Amino acid sequence: MSYMSGRTERLLPARSVWTTSMVWWHAGFYAALACVSYFALFGDERHSGTPLVIGALVLLGAAYPFLTRTRDLRTLRPTIYVALLVAVVVFLSFVFDGAGVLLFVAFPQVWMFTSSQRQGVAATAVLCVGVAVGQISRWGLAGTEVYGITAQLVTSFVASCMIGLWISKVIEQSEQRAELLAELEATRHELNNAEQARGALAERERMAREIHDTLAQGFTSIAMLSEAAQAQLRAQPEAPAGLVRSLTAISRTARDNLAEARALVASGVPSDVQGGDLLAALKRLPDTLHLDSIRLTVELPDSLPPLPSTQQVALLRTAQEALNNVRRHSGATAADVLMDIPAGDPPLLRLTVTDNGQGFDVAADHQGFGLKSMAARLDEIGGRLQVTSAPGATRLMAEVPTEAPGPGATDSGPGARTDVTVPGATA
């Protein structure tokens, strides 16, 4: 059957019983055509109509693969093929006695390629009547022949309809069960996703408690101790100014990180980007990161396209981690942070961090977690991380989509990988 009432679009043609066993029907069909052609060419009944018989068989065999393709089963093509099949078999019954062999494949194909049970019954009736009329035209109206042809007509029609209707009902029920199984599978998948989401939420809550009980308390202690030390130094008449400034920086850093930890506990979003102000958070990087003697330049556009919090957090964390790596490992004296919107499709937002440090071999197996963490964070939102490095010039570039990926997005999109290039020798 090409389609039936109640069958779902997703079950046909890929999961239909008819279509999964079509290869055997193809083989049987062409075997029947070969047998009839052999009898017409080499049998005892060769006559002037043999070229017509061969031509009709060739036409039917040539049309079959183009009108009964699996992807076309819901179109008008299978109906056209059924009409051609009935016409060829009826025609051959007028000119060739061996045409009856084709009934063994014609009856099943009528039920395979008609679009409804009613059309199957009608096509079967036309086929039986047409073949009977052809046989009568060849053998005459003698009583015995008429009775035999009539019995053959009725028996063939009843048997074909009974088998066709019964098999159609069986297949319809099996496909309804298949639809139910598909729905159950989809429900199980949704439940699995829900369970994973619940597990992730539970883990976030656990991490929030851990942050509150450890990091937040530790930052509070650091801030209080540094402020107490400042108070003691201010009580002395000749307190070293550099030491006071260092303690002030320690206190400010501890309180900034305390606010960050509390924000993570409260909502999972860094406090710097609450409210969606990524540009402001990036502008504050020279003050919040304390890069010592490194001169940091930040170049940002006037505005950004609307970004969800996940994209904002990923970009901010990437910039922070990249600059921390510059401070700890590069030996650089200058670093630049640039954010721009490159032209092209799909729309992207690009963050570039460069420094003039000693460089490193990005292809080597590094023990640190910084690059891996940045790549994993960007991978989660469909972004891409690219790192190139040489002595005196290291560049880290992160690109994230400004539009959410559609359903069914695959890894062939713009992100989900880290590209590394090492031009020249590295330190």
Side-chain angles (χ1 to χ4, degrees), residues 22-33:
M22 284 293 285
V23 61
W24 303 109
W25 292 107
H26 299 335
F29 170 72
Y30 282 107
L33 290 186

Side-chain angles (χ1 to χ4, degrees), residues 23-295:
V23 61
W24 303 109
W25 292 107
H26 299 335
F29 170 72
Y30 282 107
L33 290 186
C35 290
V36 176
S37 300
Y38 179 83
F39 291 143
L41 290 172
F42 305 107
D44 297 334
E45 192 189 351
R46 294 193 62 186
H47 50 74
S48 59
T50 298
L52 294 177
V53 173
I54 300 301
L57 294 173
V58 170
L59 173 63
L60 186 62
Y64 179 79
F66 296 102
L67 297 178
T68 61
R69 290 179 297 187
T70 301
R71 64 175 180 267
D72 297 327
L73 289 182
R74 297 184 191 88
T75 66
L76 189 62
R77 291 189 177 187
T79 303
I80 297 175
Y81 172 75
V82 170
L84 177 64
L85 172 67
V86 172
V88 169
V89 174
V90 170
F91 167 75
L92 292 179
S93 67
F94 279 87
V95 298
F96 180 58
D97 289 338
V101 175
L102 291 178
L103 291 176
F104 290 100
V105 293
F107 284 133
Q109 286 189 351
V110 163
W111 289 98
M112 288 169 61
F113 300 121
T114 49
S115 60
S116 66
Q117 296 176 356
R118 181 177 300 178
Q119 289 186 11
V121 172
T124 301
V126 172
L127 183 61
C128 291
V129 172
V131 171
V133 172
Q135 291 177 347
I136 291 174
S137 69
R138 289 181 58 79
W139 297 339
L141 295 174
T144 304
E145 284 78 4
V146 171
Y147 292 143
I149 293 172
T150 303
Q152 178 186 1
L153 165 66
V154 174
T155 303
S156 299
F157 175 77
V158 172
S160 177
C161 290
M162 288 180 60
I163 295 175
L165 292 172
W166 177 68
I167 293 178
S168 298
K169 288 295 183 181
V170 170
I171 292 177
E172 185 175 6
Q173 290 179 359
S174 69
E175 290 182 345
Q176 288 174 352
R177 293 189 181 96
E179 180 183 0
L180 178 60
L181 290 175
E183 292 175 354
L184 290 175
E185 182 67 23
T187 302
R188 186 175 69 175
H189 182 68
E190 293 173 359
L191 290 175
N192 184 50
N193 290 340
E195 184 67 22
Q196 291 180 354
R198 187 175 67 175
L201 180 60
E203 180 64 16
R204 285 185 59 186
E205 292 177 351
R206 187 189 69 81
M207 291 298 298
R209 290 193 298 269
E210 294 292 333
I211 291 173
H212 179 271
D213 295 339
T214 56
L215 295 180
Q217 302 301 327
F219 288 137
T220 301
S221 300
I222 294 172
M224 293 177 64
L225 291 172
S226 63
E227 289 173 358
Q230 292 176 59
Q232 293 175 2
L233 286 174
R234 282 192 293 268
Q236 298 179 8
E238 297 181 357
L243 183 57
V244 172
R245 286 195 300 270
S246 297
L247 289 173
T248 302
I250 292 173
S251 176
R252 184 171 62 250
T253 302
R255 292 196 175 278
D256 289 344
N257 284 274
L258 176 60
E260 185 79 12
R262 287 172 174 170
L264 289 172
V265 170
S267 63
V269 178
S271 57
D272 282 339
V273 295
Q274 285 181 348
D277 195 1
L278 175 62
L279 291 178
L282 292 174
K283 289 178 182 177
R284 290 193 294 269
L285 288 177
D287 299 324
T288 58
L289 289 182
H290 311 296
L291 297 177
D292 301 329
S293 59
I294 299 176
R295 185 182 70 257

